Amino acid sequence: MKIKILTLFPKMFDEFMGESIIKRAIDKGVCEIEVVDFRLWSQDKHHHVDDTPCSGGAGMVLRPDILIPAIKDNSSSNTYKILMTPQGRLYKQDIAQDLSKQDEIMLICGHYEGFDERIREYVDDEISIGDYVLTGGELASMVVSDSIIRLLNDAIKKESHEDDSFQNGLLEYPQYTRPIEYDGKKVPDVLLCGNHKDIRRWRLKESLRKTMKRRPDLLLNREFSKEELELIDEIKEEEDGKK
Ligand code: ADE
């Protein structure tokens, strides 16, 4: 997969691309990241990329006569073009999964007050990583790239993301490692017994318990299996017993 990032601050991506899983994925040829400085599309002497809002207001607005040619020159018919903006659709794991199936995506990072509205007509999608405003789309594009790259074949072991939080609509079950006992707190016995059926059922139950407690909104439209409904009854009884 190829990820093209259009930005005014290309150096921000050096560390992101040069460390850990992302670096290994690039080195292994799992993905390619190209960072493009769209200031190069500015024709004037001072390489201005923005201008004041028409009819006044605070801040600066990115100019369409710079960004639109930069988008066109860096994309082909199979490039899925995404504007990073707090006005976009809210980013979730299922969007990461969909995007990981694309051959090529372009992430366009704004800065300053925003994009000239006409730029929106030249992209396929708009994504926000949360209901807050960042100084630019660079961090957001790193979040999106990171979450996509780890889903690509051979970036990490498949099992490592099969049980991720959100992957099956639930938060991930609790994880433990050695030491088996620390500060009087023990790893649950079921995880030490080696009975795979019991472990699978315990993990599903604890995933449900965590999601019910922390993110009940994730369960609102879920079609529960018979086993999940049984486990939910057990959880409710246990939680009532604690009161
Ligand atoms: N640019 C500024 N804020 C953003 C956000 N929340 N998501 C995506 N891009 C942004």
Side-chain angles (χ1 to χ4, degrees), residues 84-86 127-137 140:
M84 304 310 302
T85 161
I127 285 180
S128 162
I129 61 159
D131 290 339
Y132 40 80
V133 181
L134 301 164
T135 55

Side-chain angles (χ1 to χ4, degrees), residues 82-96 99 107-108 115 120 125-134 136-137 139-141 143-144 147:
I82 307 166
L83 209 56
M84 304 310 302
T85 161
Q87 298 179 12
R89 61 185 175 129
L90 207 51
Y91 195 57
K92 298 262 168 75
Q93 187 69 16
D94 57 346
I95 304 180
L99 293 179
L107 303 173
I108 304 152
F115 299 97
R120 302 204 132 88
D125 205 348
E126 298 186 24
I127 285 180
S128 162
I129 61 159
D131 290 339
Y132 40 80
V133 181
L134 301 164
L139 291 173
S141 73
V143 167
V144 168
S147 61

Side-chain angles (χ1 to χ4, degrees), residues 176 179-189:
Y176 294 89
I180 302 302
E181 186 168 344
Y182 177 75
D183 202 22
K185 297 170 194 18
K186 274 201 73 194
V187 173
D189 287 337

Side-chain angles (χ1 to χ4, degrees), residues 49-63:
V49 290
D50 54 354
D51 210 334
T52 51
C54 290
S55 86
M60 301 293 272
V61 178
L62 285 171
R63 280 163 43 182

Side-chain angles (χ1 to χ4, degrees), residues 1-7 32-36 38 41 67-84 99 102-109 119 122-127 137 141 144-145 148:
M1 166 181 226
K2 176 147 189 186
I3 303 177
K4 279 199 178 182
I5 298 171
L6 263 58
T7 173
E32 190 187 333
I33 303 182
E34 186 185 349
V35 182
V36 177
F38 67 81
W41 272 258
L67 204 40
I68 293 167
I71 293 171
K72 284 186 176 168
D73 289 350
N74 285 286
S75 58
S76 66
S77 55
N78 71 344
T79 311
Y80 190 72
K81 303 181 282 299
I82 307 166
L83 209 56
M84 304 310 302
L99 293 179
Q102 296 280 348
D103 287 333
E104 181 167 310
I105 61 169
M106 174 186 278
L107 303 173
I108 304 152
C109 309
I119 293 167
Y122 295 81
V123 300
D124 304 300
D125 205 348
E126 298 186 24
I127 285 180
S141 73
V144 168
S145 305
I148 293 171

